[in-house]
Amino acid sequence: MSKTETTEQRDGLGDAGEQLSTAPREETDGVLGGPTLGVVGWIRWFWRQLTSMRVALILLFLLSLGAVPGSLIPQTSADEFKVADFKKAHETLAPLYEKLQLFDVYSSVWFSAIYILLFVSLIGCIVPRTWQFVGQLRGLPPGAPKRLTRLPAYTTWRTGASPEEVREAALGVLKGRRFRTRAAGDAVAAEKGYLREAGNLLFHIALIVMLVAFAWGQLFKSEGGKLVVEGDGFSNTLTQYDDFKSGSQFAVDELEPFSFTLDSFTGTYETSGPQTGTPRTFEAAVTYTRGGGKDEKAVIRVNEPLKLGDSKVYLIAHGYAPVVTVRDRDGKVVFTGAVPLLPIDNNLTSSGAIKVMDGYRDKNGEKQQLGFKAFFVPTFAGAGKGSMFSQFPALVDPVMALTGYHGSLGVDSGLPQNVYQLDTTKMKQFEVEGGTGVAQRLAPGQTMTLPDGAGSITFEKDIKEWASFQVTQQPGNGLALAGAIAAIAGLTGSLFIQRRRVWVRAVRGEDGTTVVEMAGLGRSESTKLPEELADLAVALTATAPPAPEPAEAEASEGVEK
Amino acid sequence: MILAAQTNEGLAQLSNELVYASMAVYTLAFLAHIAEWVLGSRSKVGRTAAALTGTKTEAAPATVTVRVKQAGGGTAVIEKPKVVTRSAAGTRDVPDGPGAAGGTVKGDLYGRIAVSLTVLAFALEAAGVIARAISVQRAPWGNMYEFSTTFSTVAVGTYLGFLLAKKNVRWIGLPLVTTVLLDLGLATTWLYTESDQLVPALDSYWLWIHVSTAIFCGAVFYLGAVATLLYLFRDSYENKLATGGKPGAFARSVMERLPSAASLDKFSYRVNAAIFPLWTFTIIAGAIWAGDAWGRYWGWDAKEVWSFITWVGYAAYLHARATAGWKGRKAAYIALIAFGCFLFNYYGVNIFVSSKHSYAGV
Ligand code: HEM
């Protein structure tokens, strides 16, 4: 039904009804058949398919469909540990998922294929549309269709003014309203709203700009993490990072030269109500210098990274670093320092390891290494309360439980070691007198004495906090933002501006008066068109006042040429 | 510092009471709407069938009133030309239904009562949202409870705005009030969260920009989705009539009173298209915020993925409307899927998927 009416309308409107947009013309036939013309014919056919609206639509569909699994299945890029857990839990599915690259959806071959095809299609679409649009801008509005009555908005009246006068006035009125106009035969043709098409093209081009910016950023970006204890510093060189990732085109000498010291970290938490313990503020006060310049102070907050040239320093996490001192049997200090511990719950119950690598000799004077498993709570529930877990994230009643080991830490084995974990395979546990079983709970200032005169470890009163930072350097952000702004601007123009055509025809009728016909054509959504046409008609009646109607019937039917 | 801004318990309590009061009034509005539909059905309306099967008249002339200011002041009486409109190719020339009241005086009375009650309920709910905002001294959208109450307030506000602008939208009244009641029911039971401060990650001025536009987009997309759904019903009804089918009395009574399929389609297109740039902006604002908070502006987090899917869904809808063979019903299905993605992004992602955005408890 719709097809026949469309062709009917097209027949009635001729050239004028088309090209109200630069959308590629649909080829309804041949979609399934394909050409019979050999390789070149096939390539051309394929290209035409790829750049058609229909295929663009299908690719858009595929793109959104393809994005779904990545939101439901753990992704390596977001959380490697979750992926590992998932693989353990689903032994049969995991290999299949792995083959389908479902743990790396957004960098997978098939996802890339979809968006690359879409963007090829987009470019293949934009280029001809731009030429077509330039052609439309250079040309003039198409002449009036034969039968104006067929257009979506139509009006007519008779007037005493001559056809020439009416056409002259129509040109004036339309030009006054910033229509592009031309006189064509017995009618005036006008068009307005070219910005719609311009906006649409701008939007699609901006999409390409954003994609390029994104790709550029990925290739050249670098991203590293660093844990810093209060009072310690960091300088932006590769060796200082705890972990570091970079894009394939990144070169180490591109790292922005700067360094900073963490002066203090402050966390505040809700102290009452149902959300007790929920964080309220996190602030890291730092002193930084750039390229050997002056010292400057700054505060880094969760939403407020420190911007240093192309790099940004983000506050990512925080925790406690109790200060401990380890002494040997003679009371000589063999280790002292703040030991960062990793939080294991929201109330900052933390665990970690204290490792004394060298300098310690046991009671026989032999070299040995010491290790302690540390379990720390900033707010202790109280002795006998049954829970060693923290009750509140701030330092209200800090307690640390220590378990000591001696032997070899296994750091010389060549295998990379987790600094927060103790490998006790080559170590022996100390028996502790007066401790609860084998571990001992210490309050700040207390000392645990190791048995048989093996020395002691002191939990100092000064408990430090640490903050971890992520330093990212990513070019192309400015370009991506420019693309985004252009996209919104283009989209706004494309969706809010209506492109429409108006024709005014004036011919001498049989009774000697002039028959004025006006018609407007817009896109089907434009509801304002009839009003605009009426406005124009009223403006025109200043020169062409309606003459008394001779016969009702004739007027409403319009005049056919 | 932030901690100084203790939550004001009294105001929070008042806010809860206002929300409950608004639910009561919405319930009354719901009943009044039902009365409007029931009483309105007494009238006989059969214009669609007449338009579809009767002799094809040239399109109904729509006279457009144009006032012309004269130089000397006052408006001149000029003989205005009548503008005849024709529907675009491929659509039927069917007049809009008379609305829920069906042109009856009694139905109309109840309809007006329903709208007045909706205005009152809206005022109560808005006051509740504002009281909550003052009680915590921040934007009232830090958790799902607040998001839901603000969301329905904005949806109703937008609807009332359309009414105020004299748009023909009263047919949305009943479905809207029904879903608002559902939304508030969910919010006050499952999603309820005590009023409180924000976690640091949410404490940013981007919260104002990004979340407020997201809520507004959601509310408008929702109105668009209602219109799309009704379009599908009404379109099947018209199709059935056009092919000589006989719809049941109930379908006839309800469908006859809705606007024509063409009008509903046009309405949903305009609503969806008008809000799409703002949705684009919302995503970009979110990306900028993520860049500040997490160190990357796009990380394929579940919430980001579903915003993107929603965005591509609506882009596909707009494309479909410009593609031959996809206009009409197929495009409408795409619009509904896109809205489904929006809903999933809001409820589904917060509840079922672990995401960086699952904050502040549910
Ligand atoms: C990256 C993928 C794309 C996205 C996100 C996208 C998005 C959009 C959006 C949102 C619109 C609505 C604006 C309007 O209706 O005026 C639009 C319109 C349009 N797009 Fe795309 N587009 C994409 C790719 C393409 C491709 C590949 C083509 C070419 C085949 C294309 C051709 C068009 C045309 C012709 C219009 C104007 C339709 C009309 O006149 O209403 N787009 N696009």
Side-chain angles (χ1 to χ4, degrees):
Chain A
M1 171 202 73
S2 73
K3 207 188 235 170
T4 52
E5 270 192 45
T6 313
T7 35
E8 184 192 326
Q9 167 148 7
R10 220 176 255 164
D11 291 345
L13 300 180
D15 202 21
E18 291 177 13
Q19 297 183 353
L20 204 51
S21 84
T22 55
R25 218 160 293 166
E26 283 307 312
E27 288 164 74
T28 29
D29 357 275
V31 171
L32 296 173
T36 48
L37 285 173
V39 182
V40 179
W42 272 102
I43 292 175
R44 285 179 61 184
W45 174 85
F46 180 75
W47 181 248
R48 266 209 306 275
Q49 291 305 316
L50 185 63
T51 55
S52 74
M53 286 294 276
R54 190 183 307 268
V55 172
L57 187 59
I58 292 169
L59 287 172
L60 278 172
F61 248 141
L62 286 179
L63 187 69
S64 47
L65 211 61
V68 174
S71 75
L72 305 176
I73 298 169
Q75 296 294 296
T76 318
S77 58
D79 194 340
E80 284 174 49
F81 299 107
K82 248 197 215 136
V83 175
D85 286 349
F86 184 92
K87 282 182 182 165
K88 261 187 226 138
H90 303 83
E91 282 190 352
T92 39
L93 266 185
L96 183 68
Y97 279 16
E98 192 122 34
K99 273 218 185 83
L100 295 175
Q101 296 178 298
L102 289 180
F103 298 115
D104 304 277
V105 166
Y106 306 108
S107 52
S108 70
V109 173
W110 53 269
F111 191 77
S112 314
I114 298 173
Y115 73 75
I116 289 172
L117 271 181
L118 184 58
F119 274 88
V120 171
S121 162
L122 186 53
I123 294 168
C125 186
I126 288 177
V127 174
R129 285 182 62 201
T130 308
W131 286 125
Q132 206 181 332
F133 182 56
V134 169
Q136 288 178 10
L137 278 182
R138 284 230 194 103
L140 287 163
K146 272 198 202 112
R147 306 210 302 163
L148 290 181
T149 45
R150 291 192 158 275
L151 289 163
Y154 172 80
T155 185
T156 181
W157 70 93
R158 282 160 192 278
T159 177
S162 75
E164 292 74 26
E165 279 171 338
V166 174
R167 287 199 290 269
E168 197 58 37
L171 273 176
V173 166
L174 288 163
K175 277 207 180 109
R177 301 191 181 205
R178 316 209 16 219
F179 275 82
R180 288 183 55 176
T181 52
R182 81 169 163 129
D186 57 3
V188 169
E191 182 166 348
K192 192 176 170 177
Y194 291 88
L195 265 182
R196 178 198 179 89
E197 212 60 41
N200 191 285
L201 289 170
L202 175 65
F203 167 74
H204 285 88
I205 293 168
L207 288 180
I208 297 177
V209 171
M210 279 161 74
L211 185 83
V212 168
F214 199 67
W216 182 32
Q218 291 298 319
L219 287 178
F220 287 93
K221 86 166 175 192
S222 75
E223 186 178 283
K226 174 69 180 175
L227 185 150
V228 185
V229 178
E230 281 173 327
D232 288 354
F234 166 78
S235 77
N236 194 23
T237 55
L238 203 52
T239 50
Q240 290 239 340
Y241 281 102
D242 298 334
D243 57 83
F244 189 83
K245 278 194 291 202
S246 63
S248 58
Q249 300 300 309
F250 177 80
V252 176
D253 59 0
E254 286 165 30
L255 279 177
E256 192 82 20
F258 68 85
S259 62
F260 67 83
T261 309
L262 175 62
D263 299 329
S264 70
F265 177 86
T266 319
T268 61
Y269 308 90
E270 188 64 44
T271 52
S272 62
Q275 296 195 15
T276 301
T278 307
R280 292 301 169 225
T281 49
F282 291 142
E283 288 180 355
V286 297
T287 306
Y288 66 93
T289 53
R290 293 183 63 177
K294 271 207 319 276
D295 277 1
E296 284 177 80
K297 299 240 176 238
V299 174
I300 305 179
R301 297 187 181 83
V302 175
N303 275 307
E304 293 166 34
L306 175 64
K307 292 177 187 156
L308 297 166
D310 257 356
S311 296
K312 287 189 192 170
V313 183
Y314 296 90
L315 175 59
I316 297 295
H318 74 109
Y320 291 103
V323 178
V324 296
T325 308
V326 180
R327 293 185 172 82
D328 66 10
R329 54 186 300 192
D330 306 324
K332 194 182 104 198
V333 173
V334 292
F335 174 87
T336 184
V339 183
L341 304 178
L342 291 187
I344 57 177
D345 67 16
N346 287 339
N347 280 335
L348 292 182
T349 303
S350 311
S351 74
I354 300 163
K355 298 179 185 181
V356 181
M357 306 281 186
D358 43 33
Y360 176 79
R361 286 172 193 276
D362 67 6
K363 59 177 191 261
N364 306 324
E366 281 189 30
K367 259 191 168 176
Q368 235 187 1
Q369 290 179 319
L370 294 182
F372 297 87
K373 281 188 181 166
F375 194 82
F376 173 85
V377 293
T379 301
F380 185 46
K385 290 277 169 59
S387 171
M388 186 53 207
F389 287 93
S390 175
Q391 305 300 304
F392 191 74
L395 289 174
V396 177
D397 180 14
V399 161
M400 180 158 61
L402 291 173
T403 319
Y405 295 83
H406 58 100
S408 166
L409 288 166
V411 281
D412 313 321
S413 67
L415 291 172
Q417 241 200 356
N418 187 330
V419 286
Y420 304 102
Q421 275 172 1
L422 203 59
D423 177 3
T424 56
T425 46
K426 287 188 193 147
M427 303 194 91
K428 262 175 71 186
Q429 193 168 344
F430 284 117
E431 298 292 335
V432 180
E433 300 147 40
T436 52
V438 289
Q440 187 171 341
R441 219 157 50 207
L442 302 175
Q446 289 184 337
T447 298
M448 172 167 106
T449 311
L450 300 172
D452 302 331
S456 68
I457 177 165
T458 307
F459 175 19
E460 304 289 350
K461 284 209 166 104
D462 174 29
I463 299 170
K464 292 191 170 169
E465 298 200 38
W466 57 259
S468 70
F469 298 93
Q470 180 176 314
V471 182
T472 56
Q473 188 170 340
Q474 183 168 10
N477 290 3
L479 189 65
L481 186 64
I485 291 169
I488 294 178
L491 200 53
T492 310
S494 165
L495 290 168
F496 289 105
I497 295 171
Q498 293 301 332
R499 184 153 171 208
R500 65 270 190 201
R501 296 192 175 134
V502 168
W503 291 276
V504 183
R505 173 172 285 142
V507 289
R508 198 165 296 282
E510 276 153 26
D511 61 352
T513 58
T514 302
V515 178
V516 185
E517 282 187 294
M518 285 183 74
L521 173 69
R523 292 157 51 100
S524 59
E525 297 84 24
S526 43
T527 48
K528 290 251 179 344
L529 186 67
E531 286 168 42
E532 186 175 29
L533 196 71
D535 270 347
L536 287 167
V538 168
L540 200 53
T541 48
T543 324
E549 303 260 321
E552 280 292 322
E554 231 179 305
S556 76
E557 231 156 60
V559 176
E560 287 184 23
K561 211 188 96 178
Chain B
M1 220 170 63
I2 279 266
L3 267 196
Q6 285 296 335
T7 61
N8 184 329
E9 302 282 334
L11 265 175
Q13 188 58 33
L14 175 69
S15 160
N16 290 354
E17 279 156 13
L18 283 167
V19 170
Y20 277 115
S22 80
M23 284 173 76
V25 181
Y26 276 127
T27 312
L28 293 178
F30 172 78
L31 294 174
H33 270 304
I34 296 281
E36 178 189 17
W37 278 94
V38 170
L39 292 169
S41 71
R42 301 263 166 80
S43 72
K44 284 271 170 287
V45 272
R47 300 202 276 174
T48 314
L52 283 170
T53 51
T55 47
K56 185 137 175 120
T57 49
E58 265 294 295
T63 324
V64 179
T65 349
V66 187
R67 253 182 238 114
V68 194
K69 283 245 168 65
Q70 291 262 290
T75 41
V77 186
I78 56 160
E79 209 172 316
K80 276 186 309 277
K82 280 183 186 154
V83 172
V84 181
T85 55
R86 251 177 82 100
S87 299
T91 52
R92 305 180 198 93
D93 276 322
V94 175
D96 288 343
T104 61
V105 178
K106 245 196 169 151
D108 189 53
L109 178 66
Y110 278 101
R112 283 168 192 277
I113 291 176
V115 171
S116 315
L117 286 169
T118 310
V119 171
L120 178 61
F122 167 74
L124 287 170
E125 196 188 358
V129 169
I130 292 168
R132 175 97 175 186
I134 300 173
S135 89
V136 288
Q137 307 204 349
R138 59 169 167 78
W141 41 72
N143 51 53
M144 276 185 84
Y145 168 75
E146 292 170 356
F147 201 94
S148 298
T149 45
T150 308
F151 177 77
S152 53
T153 311
V154 173
V156 175
T158 313
Y159 161 69
L160 293 176
F162 275 127
L163 278 182
L164 212 62
K166 299 246 162 26
K167 301 272 185 250
N168 168 21
V169 290
R170 229 165 82 184
W171 43 271
I172 296 186
L174 181 61
L176 179 66
V177 169
T178 313
T179 36
V180 165
L181 277 171
L182 272 176
D183 172 69
L184 286 179
L186 268 180
T188 48
T189 51
W190 283 5
L191 306 176
Y192 187 73
T193 316
E194 293 287 342
S195 91
D196 220 326
Q197 304 294 326
L198 288 177
V199 296
L202 286 184
D203 182 21
S204 158
Y205 60 92
W206 282 106
L207 177 75
W208 285 95
I209 301 169
H210 171 66
V211 186
S212 68
T213 54
I215 290 175
F216 185 63
C217 288
V220 176
F221 278 144
Y222 173 64
L223 296 183
V226 172
T228 309
L229 196 65
L230 293 179
Y231 155 76
L232 285 172
F233 288 136
R234 169 83 193 197
D235 187 55
S236 329
Y237 172 73
E238 287 179 12
N239 281 341
K240 202 163 186 180
L241 283 182
T243 52
K246 290 262 177 296
F250 179 73
R252 200 180 190 95
S253 164
V254 172
M255 290 301 146
E256 274 299 326
R257 286 183 269 165
L258 290 178
S260 70
S263 301
L264 285 169
D265 187 38
K266 207 175 278 185
F267 178 81
S268 59
Y269 168 75
R270 302 188 74 198
V271 164
N272 285 334
I275 209 68
F276 185 77
L278 193 66
W279 179 241
T280 311
F281 170 79
T282 302
I283 296 178
I284 290 165
I288 297 174
W289 184 9
D292 279 355
W294 299 325
R296 85 286 185 291
Y297 53 87
W298 193 266
W300 296 107
D301 178 69
K303 202 90 178 181
E304 291 164 358
V305 170
W306 282 94
S307 311
F308 173 74
I309 294 173
T310 308
W311 184 78
V312 175
Y314 277 105
Y317 165 71
L318 294 175
H319 271 216
R321 295 194 47 114
T323 309
W326 277 86
K327 298 185 174 79
R329 296 187 70 90
K330 281 189 202 160
Y333 290 129
I334 299 179
L336 287 182
I337 294 173
F339 184 70
C341 293
F342 183 92
L343 274 191
F344 181 78
N345 197 15
Y346 172 41
Y347 285 107
V349 171
N350 279 31
I351 296 172
F352 304 120
V353 184
S354 84
S355 144
K356 276 198 149 170
H357 289 76
S358 318
Y359 38 71
V362 170

